Short mmCIF file of all heavy atoms in Angstrom, two decimals:
data_model
loop_
_atom_site.label_atom_id
_atom_site.label_comp_id
_atom_site.label_asym_id
_atom_site.label_seq_id
_atom_site.Cartn_x
_atom_site.Cartn_y
_atom_site.Cartn_z
N LEU A 4 -13.62 72.67 38.38
CA LEU A 4 -13.19 71.43 37.69
C LEU A 4 -12.47 71.79 36.47
O LEU A 4 -13.02 72.52 35.61
CB LEU A 4 -14.40 70.54 37.38
CG LEU A 4 -14.11 69.33 36.51
CD1 LEU A 4 -13.26 68.33 37.16
CD2 LEU A 4 -15.43 68.71 36.03
N GLY A 7 -8.62 68.14 31.50
CA GLY A 7 -7.46 68.25 30.65
C GLY A 7 -6.38 69.15 31.22
O GLY A 7 -6.05 70.18 30.69
N ARG A 10 -1.06 69.53 31.16
CA ARG A 10 0.00 70.53 30.85
C ARG A 10 -0.67 71.75 30.25
O ARG A 10 -1.89 71.90 30.20
CB ARG A 10 0.97 69.91 29.80
CG ARG A 10 0.22 69.45 28.55
CD ARG A 10 1.20 68.80 27.55
NE ARG A 10 0.51 68.34 26.36
CZ ARG A 10 1.11 68.02 25.24
NH1 ARG A 10 2.37 68.14 25.14
NH2 ARG A 10 0.37 67.61 24.18
N TYR A 20 -6.16 79.20 39.73
CA TYR A 20 -7.34 79.15 40.55
C TYR A 20 -6.97 78.67 41.98
O TYR A 20 -7.53 79.16 42.95
CB TYR A 20 -8.41 78.16 40.00
CG TYR A 20 -9.26 78.84 38.91
CD1 TYR A 20 -9.18 78.48 37.63
CD2 TYR A 20 -10.16 79.81 39.32
CE1 TYR A 20 -9.97 79.10 36.62
CE2 TYR A 20 -10.94 80.46 38.35
CZ TYR A 20 -10.84 80.09 37.00
OH TYR A 20 -11.66 80.75 36.05
N ASP A 22 -4.07 79.45 43.34
CA ASP A 22 -3.50 80.66 43.93
C ASP A 22 -4.55 81.62 44.48
O ASP A 22 -4.32 82.45 45.38
CB ASP A 22 -2.53 81.32 42.92
CG ASP A 22 -1.26 80.51 42.68
OD1 ASP A 22 -0.99 79.68 43.51
OD2 ASP A 22 -0.60 80.78 41.66
N ALA A 23 -5.72 81.62 43.79
CA ALA A 23 -6.78 82.51 44.16
C ALA A 23 -7.61 82.00 45.36
O ALA A 23 -8.51 82.69 45.81
CB ALA A 23 -7.73 82.71 42.97
N ARG A 32 -4.02 62.41 32.35
CA ARG A 32 -4.06 61.12 31.67
C ARG A 32 -3.20 60.11 32.35
O ARG A 32 -3.54 58.89 32.38
CB ARG A 32 -3.56 61.26 30.25
CG ARG A 32 -4.43 62.08 29.31
CD ARG A 32 -3.89 62.04 27.89
NE ARG A 32 -2.49 62.45 27.84
CZ ARG A 32 -2.14 63.74 27.58
NH1 ARG A 32 -3.09 64.64 27.34
NH2 ARG A 32 -0.84 64.04 27.50
N ALA A 35 2.20 60.65 36.14
CA ALA A 35 3.04 61.84 36.32
C ALA A 35 2.19 63.07 36.35
O ALA A 35 2.44 63.97 37.19
CB ALA A 35 4.04 61.89 35.12
N GLY A 67 -21.06 63.73 42.83
CA GLY A 67 -22.15 64.69 43.15
C GLY A 67 -21.60 66.06 43.57
O GLY A 67 -22.29 66.81 44.24
N VAL A 76 -10.84 71.65 28.74
CA VAL A 76 -9.68 72.21 28.11
C VAL A 76 -9.00 71.25 27.10
O VAL A 76 -8.33 71.61 26.18
CB VAL A 76 -8.60 72.64 29.19
CG1 VAL A 76 -7.39 73.28 28.57
CG2 VAL A 76 -9.30 73.54 30.24
N PHE A 80 -4.54 69.05 18.10
CA PHE A 80 -4.46 69.90 16.96
C PHE A 80 -4.07 69.10 15.71
O PHE A 80 -3.17 68.29 15.79
CB PHE A 80 -3.46 71.04 17.21
CG PHE A 80 -3.31 72.05 16.10
CD1 PHE A 80 -4.47 72.84 15.75
CD2 PHE A 80 -2.16 72.20 15.43
CE1 PHE A 80 -4.37 73.75 14.81
CE2 PHE A 80 -2.08 73.18 14.39
CZ PHE A 80 -3.20 73.93 14.08
N GLY A 83 -2.63 68.33 9.36
CA GLY A 83 -2.88 67.92 8.03
C GLY A 83 -3.27 69.06 7.12
O GLY A 83 -3.75 70.13 7.61
N GLY A 84 -3.00 68.93 5.82
CA GLY A 84 -3.41 69.93 4.92
C GLY A 84 -4.86 70.06 4.66
O GLY A 84 -5.60 69.09 4.85
N PHE A 94 -8.80 60.75 12.07
CA PHE A 94 -10.18 61.17 12.38
C PHE A 94 -10.66 60.69 13.72
O PHE A 94 -11.22 61.46 14.48
CB PHE A 94 -11.08 60.61 11.29
CG PHE A 94 -12.60 61.00 11.40
CD1 PHE A 94 -13.03 62.16 10.90
CD2 PHE A 94 -13.43 60.16 12.08
CE1 PHE A 94 -14.35 62.57 11.07
CE2 PHE A 94 -14.78 60.49 12.25
CZ PHE A 94 -15.25 61.72 11.73
N ALA A 96 -8.83 59.81 16.38
CA ALA A 96 -8.14 60.46 17.49
C ALA A 96 -8.63 61.87 17.65
O ALA A 96 -8.85 62.28 18.82
CB ALA A 96 -6.64 60.46 17.13
N LEU A 126 -12.95 75.22 25.64
CA LEU A 126 -11.99 75.87 24.81
C LEU A 126 -12.26 75.48 23.33
O LEU A 126 -12.18 74.34 22.99
CB LEU A 126 -10.57 75.48 25.16
CG LEU A 126 -9.78 76.56 25.98
CD1 LEU A 126 -10.43 76.78 27.34
CD2 LEU A 126 -8.33 76.12 26.18
N SER A 147 -13.78 69.44 13.74
CA SER A 147 -13.94 69.01 15.16
C SER A 147 -14.35 70.15 16.07
O SER A 147 -15.22 70.05 16.90
CB SER A 147 -12.68 68.40 15.67
OG SER A 147 -11.62 69.35 15.86
N LYS A 148 -13.76 71.36 15.88
CA LYS A 148 -14.10 72.46 16.72
C LYS A 148 -15.46 73.01 16.36
O LYS A 148 -16.22 73.46 17.30
CB LYS A 148 -13.10 73.59 16.53
CG LYS A 148 -11.72 73.26 17.24
CD LYS A 148 -11.85 72.99 18.69
CE LYS A 148 -10.57 72.75 19.36
NZ LYS A 148 -10.72 72.52 20.84
N VAL A 156 -23.92 74.21 22.09
CA VAL A 156 -25.17 75.01 21.84
C VAL A 156 -26.38 74.10 21.96
O VAL A 156 -27.42 74.47 22.55
CB VAL A 156 -25.06 75.65 20.45
CG1 VAL A 156 -26.39 76.13 20.05
CG2 VAL A 156 -24.01 76.70 20.38
N THR A 187 1.64 84.47 26.10
CA THR A 187 2.11 83.42 27.02
C THR A 187 0.93 82.72 27.59
O THR A 187 -0.20 83.23 27.65
CB THR A 187 2.92 84.07 28.13
OG1 THR A 187 2.03 84.86 28.97
CG2 THR A 187 4.05 84.93 27.62
N LEU A 199 -14.37 84.94 32.14
CA LEU A 199 -15.34 84.08 32.82
C LEU A 199 -16.04 84.75 33.96
O LEU A 199 -17.26 84.72 34.14
CB LEU A 199 -14.70 82.80 33.25
CG LEU A 199 -14.18 81.84 32.18
CD1 LEU A 199 -13.35 80.75 32.78
CD2 LEU A 199 -15.35 81.23 31.34
N ALA A 201 -16.43 87.92 34.43
CA ALA A 201 -17.23 89.05 33.94
C ALA A 201 -18.62 88.61 33.46
O ALA A 201 -19.56 89.30 33.53
CB ALA A 201 -16.51 89.81 32.78
N ASP A 212 -27.94 82.16 20.83
CA ASP A 212 -27.26 83.46 21.14
C ASP A 212 -26.81 83.49 22.59
O ASP A 212 -26.08 84.33 23.01
CB ASP A 212 -28.11 84.62 20.86
CG ASP A 212 -28.33 84.88 19.36
OD1 ASP A 212 -27.47 84.36 18.64
OD2 ASP A 212 -29.30 85.52 19.01
N TYR A 216 -19.60 83.01 22.37
CA TYR A 216 -18.32 82.53 21.87
C TYR A 216 -17.37 83.71 21.97
O TYR A 216 -17.51 84.75 21.28
CB TYR A 216 -18.41 82.07 20.42
CG TYR A 216 -17.20 81.49 19.83
CD1 TYR A 216 -16.08 81.16 20.63
CD2 TYR A 216 -17.15 81.06 18.53
CE1 TYR A 216 -14.96 80.59 20.12
CE2 TYR A 216 -16.02 80.52 17.95
CZ TYR A 216 -14.89 80.24 18.79
OH TYR A 216 -13.77 79.73 18.20
N ASP A 220 -9.75 87.69 25.45
CA ASP A 220 -9.79 88.92 26.15
C ASP A 220 -11.21 89.40 26.42
O ASP A 220 -11.46 90.50 26.90
CB ASP A 220 -9.04 90.00 25.40
CG ASP A 220 -9.60 90.22 23.99
OD1 ASP A 220 -10.53 89.57 23.63
OD2 ASP A 220 -8.99 91.11 23.29
#
Side-chain angles (χ1 to χ4, degrees):
L4 169 67
R10 57 181 179 164
Y20 277 112
D22 288 345
R32 294 185 303 269
V76 183
F80 184 63
F94 180 86
L126 256 64
S147 70
K148 289 300 185 180
V156 168
T187 67
L199 294 170
D212 291 341
Y216 186 8
D220 58 0

